[in-house]
Amino acid sequence: KAGLIVKWNGSEWRDEINRSWNSSIPYTLADVDIAVVNASGSVLPTSVSQQVTGVGTHVGNMAFDTAQSRLLVANLEDINQVRFEPNLRGKFQSNRITILSNAGNGTLTVSSTPDLNSHVDFNNVGGSDSERALSLALPADLVRKSDGTLFVAATSSGRVGVLSSDGLVTGRVAVGQGPTGLALDEGRNSLYVLNRFDQTISVVDTNSKLQTSVVSIGRNPESSSVRNGRRF
């Protein structure tokens, strides 16, 4: 006997070859990716006005687009229901930005999910060095400039992705290892990047889209084997 991972499609539990398992699983599970909190009142606790599903398996940080009243969310989407080689064939996870629009009544709905690695040809299961050199993996933090440009910290790639307002990748900035946090200072045309693995902060010029300096943030008490192994 072996365990089986199945996926809820909105009405049924289905496996990777599209068999229904509703007879074995007579229930559903909570799938709350984002909670919308009504914070307009003066008395706490405030109420949850909406629970949003279908955003992603692992949800990172978010950025609000005030110009278009949209929410942009960095996330990973796992393809857990596909098991074992050769079925997996090299594709088991997607790195994405999910864009949620405001329906006008305060309700958020998923409008699009741009893939950060649309340049990858998954028909070539071995991949290529040129594809890997452009890839943005494990999106963690996300910030938005007033002109609509998005910056996303790709923790597993040592890069910051530069995106259009629609979440399409337009460039990549090489920074330190393990970028996890971003802080934007538009007045100084600067983006500050926390590189967790290197224990440094990169300063990126938001006009040239280049790293201009690196600052140490002090001693890391972790052992060298832990520090050197984090990127793997």
Side-chain angles (χ1 to χ4, degrees):
K1 293 182 178 181
L4 180 68
I5 294 177
V6 295
K7 184 174 182 177
W8 180 254
N9 66 4
S11 59
E12 289 187 296
W13 293 106
R14 292 276 177 175
D15 63 17
E16 60 184 313
I17 58 175
N18 206 33
R19 294 175 300 187
S20 173
W21 290 85
N22 278 15
S23 60
S24 301
I25 314 175
Y27 53 82
T28 59
L29 298 173
D31 179 23
V32 179
D33 295 323
I34 294 175
V36 181
V37 178
N38 179 5
S40 60
S42 58
V43 179
L44 296 177
T46 52
S47 61
V48 175
S49 58
Q50 184 188 357
Q51 294 178 333
V52 185
T53 65
V55 175
T57 309
H58 305 280
V59 178
N61 211 349
M62 302 179 285
F64 186 65
D65 178 358
T66 55
Q68 301 186 58
S69 190
R70 303 182 306 169
L71 190 65
L72 306 112
V73 186
N75 67 91
L76 295 171
E77 177 70 5
D78 291 343
I79 310 170
N80 290 327
Q81 75 278 13
V82 179
R83 304 178 302 154
F84 312 134
E85 295 289 357
N87 295 329
L88 276 174
R89 304 291 290 171
K91 183 177 182 180
F92 62 92
Q93 192 176 67
S94 296
N95 298 265
R96 316 185 309 178
I97 299 294
T98 297
I99 300 176
L100 299 101
S101 59
N102 191 330
N105 57 358
T107 301
L108 292 175
T109 57
V110 175
S111 59
S112 62
T113 52
D115 195 312
L116 295 176
N117 299 305
S118 59
H119 64 282
V120 175
D121 177 12
F122 284 103
N123 292 317
N124 175 20
V125 296
S128 67
D129 288 339
S130 60
E131 287 176 333
R132 284 184 277 275
L134 295 175
S135 294
L136 298 170
L138 192 58
D141 203 1
L142 180 69
V143 293
R144 177 185 179 275
K145 279 185 67 176
S146 56
D147 66 1
T149 302
L150 302 171
F151 296 98
V152 59
T155 303
S156 292
S157 303
R159 301 183 186 92
V160 170
V162 184
L163 283 59
S164 69
S165 61
D166 293 326
L168 303 179
V169 178
T170 61
R172 301 153 186 87
V173 183
V175 291
Q177 289 297 325
T180 57
L182 302 175
L184 180 64
D185 184 347
E186 291 204 58
R188 295 180 174 85
N189 298 314
S190 296
L191 177 71
Y192 302 96
V193 185
L194 173 62
N195 302 308
R196 174 64 181 87
F197 302 170
D198 288 351
Q199 202 81 344
T200 61
I201 291 177
S202 294
V203 182
V204 174
D205 186 309
T206 56
N207 290 329
S208 65
K209 310 296 191 300
L210 294 172
Q211 176 181 273
T212 58
S213 61
V214 179
V215 180
S216 172
I217 55 174
R219 176 180 176 271
N220 184 346
E222 296 170 329
S223 67
S224 59
S225 60
V226 171
R227 295 196 303 270
N228 295 333
R230 281 197 182 278
R231 61 177 298 187
F232 300 104

mmCIF file of all heavy atoms in Angstrom, residues 147-185:
data_model
loop_
_atom_site.group_PDB
_atom_site.id
_atom_site.type_symbol
_atom_site.label_atom_id
_atom_site.label_comp_id
_atom_site.label_asym_id
_atom_site.label_seq_id
_atom_site.Cartn_x
_atom_site.Cartn_y
_atom_site.Cartn_z
ATOM 1 N N ASP A 147 5.764 54.169 -10.170
ATOM 2 C CA ASP A 147 5.524 54.083 -11.615
ATOM 3 C C ASP A 147 5.021 52.705 -12.043
ATOM 4 O O ASP A 147 4.809 52.452 -13.228
ATOM 5 C CB ASP A 147 6.792 54.442 -12.397
ATOM 6 C CG ASP A 147 7.929 53.436 -12.191
ATOM 7 O OD1 ASP A 147 7.736 52.444 -11.457
ATOM 8 O OD2 ASP A 147 9.015 53.641 -12.770
ATOM 9 N N GLY A 148 4.826 51.800 -11.083
ATOM 10 C CA GLY A 148 4.298 50.473 -11.371
ATOM 11 C C GLY A 148 5.335 49.378 -11.429
ATOM 12 O O GLY A 148 4.977 48.195 -11.437
ATOM 13 N N THR A 149 6.616 49.736 -11.470
ATOM 14 C CA THR A 149 7.673 48.721 -11.495
ATOM 15 C C THR A 149 7.666 47.905 -10.205
ATOM 16 O O THR A 149 7.531 48.448 -9.114
ATOM 17 C CB THR A 149 9.057 49.378 -11.661
ATOM 18 O OG1 THR A 149 9.070 50.151 -12.863
ATOM 19 C CG2 THR A 149 10.161 48.330 -11.740
ATOM 20 N N LEU A 150 7.824 46.606 -10.357
ATOM 21 C CA LEU A 150 7.847 45.702 -9.209
ATOM 22 C C LEU A 150 9.244 45.115 -9.041
ATOM 23 O O LEU A 150 9.932 44.841 -10.029
ATOM 24 C CB LEU A 150 6.847 44.554 -9.394
ATOM 25 C CG LEU A 150 5.386 44.929 -9.613
ATOM 26 C CD1 LEU A 150 4.583 43.694 -10.007
ATOM 27 C CD2 LEU A 150 4.806 45.573 -8.375
ATOM 28 N N PHE A 151 9.638 44.930 -7.795
ATOM 29 C CA PHE A 151 10.887 44.244 -7.483
ATOM 30 C C PHE A 151 10.546 43.052 -6.593
ATOM 31 O O PHE A 151 9.801 43.188 -5.618
ATOM 32 C CB PHE A 151 11.860 45.169 -6.756
ATOM 33 C CG PHE A 151 12.319 46.348 -7.571
ATOM 34 C CD1 PHE A 151 11.717 47.582 -7.420
ATOM 35 C CD2 PHE A 151 13.348 46.214 -8.499
ATOM 36 C CE1 PHE A 151 12.127 48.682 -8.164
ATOM 37 C CE2 PHE A 151 13.770 47.305 -9.247
ATOM 38 C CZ PHE A 151 13.158 48.544 -9.081
ATOM 39 N N VAL A 152 11.097 41.880 -6.930
ATOM 40 C CA VAL A 152 10.824 40.683 -6.151
ATOM 41 C C VAL A 152 12.145 40.029 -5.757
ATOM 42 O O VAL A 152 13.056 39.884 -6.592
ATOM 43 C CB VAL A 152 9.924 39.686 -6.923
ATOM 44 C CG1 VAL A 152 10.559 39.244 -8.236
ATOM 45 C CG2 VAL A 152 9.588 38.481 -6.071
ATOM 46 N N ALA A 153 12.286 39.674 -4.485
ATOM 47 C CA ALA A 153 13.485 39.002 -3.996
ATOM 48 C C ALA A 153 13.378 37.510 -4.280
ATOM 49 O O ALA A 153 12.482 36.845 -3.755
ATOM 50 C CB ALA A 153 13.647 39.246 -2.492
ATOM 51 N N ALA A 154 14.277 36.988 -5.120
ATOM 52 C CA ALA A 154 14.292 35.564 -5.455
ATOM 53 C C ALA A 154 15.342 34.882 -4.583
ATOM 54 O O ALA A 154 16.522 34.832 -4.927
ATOM 55 C CB ALA A 154 14.594 35.368 -6.937
ATOM 56 N N THR A 155 14.921 34.353 -3.450
ATOM 57 C CA THR A 155 15.831 33.870 -2.421
ATOM 58 C C THR A 155 16.790 32.798 -2.921
ATOM 59 O O THR A 155 17.977 32.800 -2.591
ATOM 60 C CB THR A 155 15.025 33.322 -1.223
ATOM 61 O OG1 THR A 155 14.166 34.353 -0.734
ATOM 62 C CG2 THR A 155 15.944 32.875 -0.094
ATOM 63 N N SER A 156 16.298 31.880 -3.740
ATOM 64 C CA SER A 156 17.130 30.753 -4.161
ATOM 65 C C SER A 156 18.002 31.063 -5.369
ATOM 66 O O SER A 156 18.775 30.206 -5.796
ATOM 67 C CB SER A 156 16.248 29.541 -4.485
ATOM 68 O OG SER A 156 15.641 29.045 -3.314
ATOM 69 N N SER A 157 17.891 32.262 -5.914
ATOM 70 C CA SER A 157 18.629 32.594 -7.133
ATOM 71 C C SER A 157 19.698 33.655 -6.938
ATOM 72 O O SER A 157 20.475 33.917 -7.856
ATOM 73 C CB SER A 157 17.659 33.069 -8.231
ATOM 74 O OG SER A 157 16.686 32.102 -8.502
ATOM 75 N N GLY A 158 19.745 34.309 -5.766
ATOM 76 C CA GLY A 158 20.702 35.384 -5.567
ATOM 77 C C GLY A 158 20.432 36.556 -6.488
ATOM 78 O O GLY A 158 21.361 37.255 -6.906
ATOM 79 N N ARG A 159 19.160 36.811 -6.771
ATOM 80 C CA ARG A 159 18.800 37.886 -7.691
ATOM 81 C C ARG A 159 17.546 38.600 -7.195
ATOM 82 O O ARG A 159 16.738 38.042 -6.450
ATOM 83 C CB ARG A 159 18.520 37.359 -9.103
ATOM 84 C CG ARG A 159 19.652 36.621 -9.755
ATOM 85 C CD ARG A 159 19.280 36.212 -11.181
ATOM 86 N NE ARG A 159 20.316 35.379 -11.777
ATOM 87 C CZ ARG A 159 20.326 34.058 -11.737
ATOM 88 N NH1 ARG A 159 19.330 33.410 -11.135
ATOM 89 N NH2 ARG A 159 21.302 33.368 -12.285
ATOM 90 N N VAL A 160 17.384 39.820 -7.683
ATOM 91 C CA VAL A 160 16.127 40.540 -7.537
ATOM 92 C C VAL A 160 15.520 40.658 -8.924
ATOM 93 O O VAL A 160 16.176 41.143 -9.859
ATOM 94 C CB VAL A 160 16.350 41.937 -6.921
ATOM 95 C CG1 VAL A 160 15.069 42.763 -7.000
ATOM 96 C CG2 VAL A 160 16.800 41.818 -5.474
ATOM 97 N N GLY A 161 14.298 40.190 -9.074
ATOM 98 C CA GLY A 161 13.618 40.300 -10.355
ATOM 99 C C GLY A 161 12.991 41.677 -10.521
ATOM 100 O O GLY A 161 12.434 42.230 -9.574
ATOM 101 N N VAL A 162 13.109 42.234 -11.723
ATOM 102 C CA VAL A 162 12.462 43.500 -12.075
ATOM 103 C C VAL A 162 11.272 43.160 -12.961
ATOM 104 O O VAL A 162 11.433 42.495 -13.998
ATOM 105 C CB VAL A 162 13.433 44.440 -12.809
ATOM 106 C CG1 VAL A 162 12.766 45.785 -13.077
ATOM 107 C CG2 VAL A 162 14.712 44.630 -12.009
ATOM 108 N N LEU A 163 10.077 43.590 -12.557
ATOM 109 C CA LEU A 163 8.851 43.196 -13.238
ATOM 110 C C LEU A 163 8.072 44.413 -13.693
ATOM 111 O O LEU A 163 8.163 45.490 -13.086
ATOM 112 C CB LEU A 163 7.960 42.360 -12.308
ATOM 113 C CG LEU A 163 8.307 40.902 -12.046
ATOM 114 C CD1 LEU A 163 9.680 40.714 -11.430
ATOM 115 C CD2 LEU A 163 7.247 40.274 -11.138
ATOM 116 N N SER A 164 7.300 44.234 -14.750
ATOM 117 C CA SER A 164 6.366 45.262 -15.169
ATOM 118 C C SER A 164 5.187 45.295 -14.207
ATOM 119 O O SER A 164 5.052 44.429 -13.335
ATOM 120 C CB SER A 164 5.872 44.978 -16.589
ATOM 121 O OG SER A 164 5.030 43.818 -16.588
ATOM 122 N N SER A 165 4.317 46.269 -14.366
ATOM 123 C CA SER A 165 3.154 46.378 -13.482
ATOM 124 C C SER A 165 2.225 45.178 -13.602
ATOM 125 O O SER A 165 1.417 44.928 -12.710
ATOM 126 C CB SER A 165 2.388 47.663 -13.779
ATOM 127 O OG SER A 165 1.914 47.658 -15.118
ATOM 128 N N ASP A 166 2.333 44.421 -14.712
ATOM 129 C CA ASP A 166 1.509 43.232 -14.904
ATOM 130 C C ASP A 166 2.205 41.955 -14.452
ATOM 131 O O ASP A 166 1.716 40.859 -14.722
ATOM 132 C CB ASP A 166 1.106 43.107 -16.373
ATOM 133 C CG ASP A 166 0.163 44.214 -16.805
ATOM 134 O OD1 ASP A 166 -0.654 44.648 -15.966
ATOM 135 O OD2 ASP A 166 0.235 44.651 -17.959
ATOM 136 N N GLY A 167 3.363 42.093 -13.800
ATOM 137 C CA GLY A 167 4.046 40.925 -13.267
ATOM 138 C C GLY A 167 4.935 40.197 -14.246
ATOM 139 O O GLY A 167 5.383 39.080 -13.960
ATOM 140 N N LEU A 168 5.238 40.803 -15.397
ATOM 141 C CA LEU A 168 6.101 40.170 -16.388
ATOM 142 C C LEU A 168 7.552 40.590 -16.146
ATOM 143 O O LEU A 168 7.843 41.764 -15.924
ATOM 144 C CB LEU A 168 5.668 40.566 -17.806
ATOM 145 C CG LEU A 168 4.210 40.250 -18.159
ATOM 146 C CD1 LEU A 168 3.894 40.714 -19.577
ATOM 147 C CD2 LEU A 168 3.916 38.756 -18.003
ATOM 148 N N VAL A 169 8.464 39.617 -16.194
ATOM 149 C CA VAL A 169 9.871 39.878 -15.884
ATOM 150 C C VAL A 169 10.503 40.695 -17.000
ATOM 151 O O VAL A 169 10.457 40.322 -18.178
ATOM 152 C CB VAL A 169 10.642 38.557 -15.686
ATOM 153 C CG1 VAL A 169 12.123 38.839 -15.411
ATOM 154 C CG2 VAL A 169 10.036 37.751 -14.541
ATOM 155 N N THR A 170 11.114 41.822 -16.620
ATOM 156 C CA THR A 170 11.806 42.683 -17.590
ATOM 157 C C THR A 170 13.306 42.744 -17.335
ATOM 158 O O THR A 170 14.053 43.247 -18.182
ATOM 159 C CB THR A 170 11.230 44.107 -17.560
ATOM 160 O OG1 THR A 170 11.417 44.665 -16.246
ATOM 161 C CG2 THR A 170 9.748 44.101 -17.888
ATOM 162 N N GLY A 171 13.760 42.270 -16.181
ATOM 163 C CA GLY A 171 15.183 42.294 -15.876
ATOM 164 C C GLY A 171 15.490 41.567 -14.589
ATOM 165 O O GLY A 171 14.586 41.164 -13.845
ATOM 166 N N ARG A 172 16.775 41.389 -14.336
ATOM 167 C CA ARG A 172 17.236 40.681 -13.142
ATOM 168 C C ARG A 172 18.473 41.393 -12.609
ATOM 169 O O ARG A 172 19.360 41.768 -13.391
ATOM 170 C CB ARG A 172 17.563 39.218 -13.462
ATOM 171 C CG ARG A 172 16.355 38.452 -14.019
ATOM 172 C CD ARG A 172 16.788 37.293 -14.903
ATOM 173 N NE ARG A 172 15.640 36.657 -15.530
ATOM 174 C CZ ARG A 172 15.088 37.054 -16.682
ATOM 175 N NH1 ARG A 172 15.575 38.115 -17.319
ATOM 176 N NH2 ARG A 172 14.054 36.412 -17.189
ATOM 177 N N VAL A 173 18.552 41.555 -11.298
ATOM 178 C CA VAL A 173 19.684 42.229 -10.663
ATOM 179 C C VAL A 173 20.412 41.221 -9.779
ATOM 180 O O VAL A 173 19.809 40.631 -8.877
ATOM 181 C CB VAL A 173 19.223 43.425 -9.811
ATOM 182 C CG1 VAL A 173 20.439 44.146 -9.215
ATOM 183 C CG2 VAL A 173 18.373 44.388 -10.631
ATOM 184 N N ALA A 174 21.703 41.027 -10.032
ATOM 185 C CA ALA A 174 22.497 40.122 -9.204
ATOM 186 C C ALA A 174 22.805 40.801 -7.874
ATOM 187 O O ALA A 174 23.303 41.930 -7.839
ATOM 188 C CB ALA A 174 23.785 39.759 -9.927
ATOM 189 N N VAL A 175 22.487 40.104 -6.787
ATOM 190 C CA VAL A 175 22.777 40.613 -5.439
ATOM 191 C C VAL A 175 23.500 39.513 -4.665
ATOM 192 O O VAL A 175 24.121 38.643 -5.257
ATOM 193 C CB VAL A 175 21.485 41.070 -4.720
ATOM 194 C CG1 VAL A 175 20.925 42.324 -5.381
ATOM 195 C CG2 VAL A 175 20.424 39.960 -4.705
ATOM 196 N N GLY A 176 23.431 39.523 -3.333
ATOM 197 C CA GLY A 176 24.086 38.491 -2.539
ATOM 198 C C GLY A 176 23.282 37.202 -2.504
ATOM 199 O O GLY A 176 22.222 37.085 -3.142
ATOM 200 N N GLN A 177 23.771 36.253 -1.728
ATOM 201 C CA GLN A 177 23.094 34.970 -1.611
ATOM 202 C C GLN A 177 21.948 35.056 -0.603
ATOM 203 O O GLN A 177 22.095 35.591 0.491
ATOM 204 C CB GLN A 177 24.087 33.896 -1.172
ATOM 205 C CG GLN A 177 25.092 33.518 -2.238
ATOM 206 C CD GLN A 177 24.438 32.906 -3.453
ATOM 207 O OE1 GLN A 177 23.443 32.186 -3.346
ATOM 208 N NE2 GLN A 177 24.980 33.186 -4.616
ATOM 209 N N GLY A 178 20.796 34.511 -1.004
ATOM 210 C CA GLY A 178 19.644 34.428 -0.107
ATOM 211 C C GLY A 178 18.903 35.727 0.114
ATOM 212 O O GLY A 178 18.561 36.041 1.260
ATOM 213 N N PRO A 179 18.613 36.507 -0.938
ATOM 214 C CA PRO A 179 17.835 37.737 -0.730
ATOM 215 C C PRO A 179 16.428 37.414 -0.236
ATOM 216 O O PRO A 179 15.684 36.688 -0.896
ATOM 217 C CB PRO A 179 17.811 38.385 -2.122
ATOM 218 C CG PRO A 179 18.022 37.249 -3.085
ATOM 219 C CD PRO A 179 18.927 36.297 -2.366
ATOM 220 N N THR A 180 16.071 37.952 0.930
ATOM 221 C CA THR A 180 14.769 37.644 1.517
ATOM 222 C C THR A 180 13.905 38.871 1.761
ATOM 223 O O THR A 180 12.684 38.759 1.813
ATOM 224 C CB THR A 180 14.939 36.924 2.870
ATOM 225 O OG1 THR A 180 15.739 37.748 3.733
ATOM 226 C CG2 THR A 180 15.627 35.584 2.706
ATOM 227 N N GLY A 181 14.517 40.043 1.948
ATOM 228 C CA GLY A 181 13.739 41.235 2.285
ATOM 229 C C GLY A 181 14.121 42.414 1.416
ATOM 230 O O GLY A 181 15.273 42.557 1.005
ATOM 231 N N LEU A 182 13.129 43.283 1.127
ATOM 232 C CA LEU A 182 13.343 44.460 0.292
ATOM 233 C C LEU A 182 12.789 45.692 0.992
ATOM 234 O O LEU A 182 11.745 45.638 1.633
ATOM 235 C CB LEU A 182 12.636 44.306 -1.061
ATOM 236 C CG LEU A 182 13.010 43.104 -1.930
ATOM 237 C CD1 LEU A 182 12.109 43.058 -3.167
ATOM 238 C CD2 LEU A 182 14.473 43.152 -2.335
ATOM 239 N N ALA A 183 13.495 46.806 0.846
ATOM 240 C CA ALA A 183 13.004 48.105 1.315
ATOM 241 C C ALA A 183 13.297 49.121 0.218
ATOM 242 O O ALA A 183 14.434 49.240 -0.246
ATOM 243 C CB ALA A 183 13.675 48.508 2.626
ATOM 244 N N LEU A 184 12.278 49.850 -0.188
ATOM 245 C CA LEU A 184 12.390 50.783 -1.311
ATOM 246 C C LEU A 184 12.421 52.216 -0.799
ATOM 247 O O LEU A 184 11.556 52.631 -0.022
ATOM 248 C CB LEU A 184 11.206 50.583 -2.268
ATOM 249 C CG LEU A 184 11.158 51.471 -3.501
ATOM 250 C CD1 LEU A 184 12.346 51.201 -4.415
ATOM 251 C CD2 LEU A 184 9.836 51.231 -4.258
ATOM 252 N N ASP A 185 13.422 52.979 -1.251
ATOM 253 C CA ASP A 185 13.539 54.400 -0.940
ATOM 254 C C ASP A 185 13.524 55.154 -2.267
ATOM 255 O O ASP A 185 14.560 55.363 -2.897
ATOM 256 C CB ASP A 185 14.838 54.666 -0.169
ATOM 257 C CG ASP A 185 14.967 56.121 0.268
ATOM 258 O OD1 ASP A 185 14.197 56.967 -0.218
ATOM 259 O OD2 ASP A 185 15.851 56.412 1.098
#
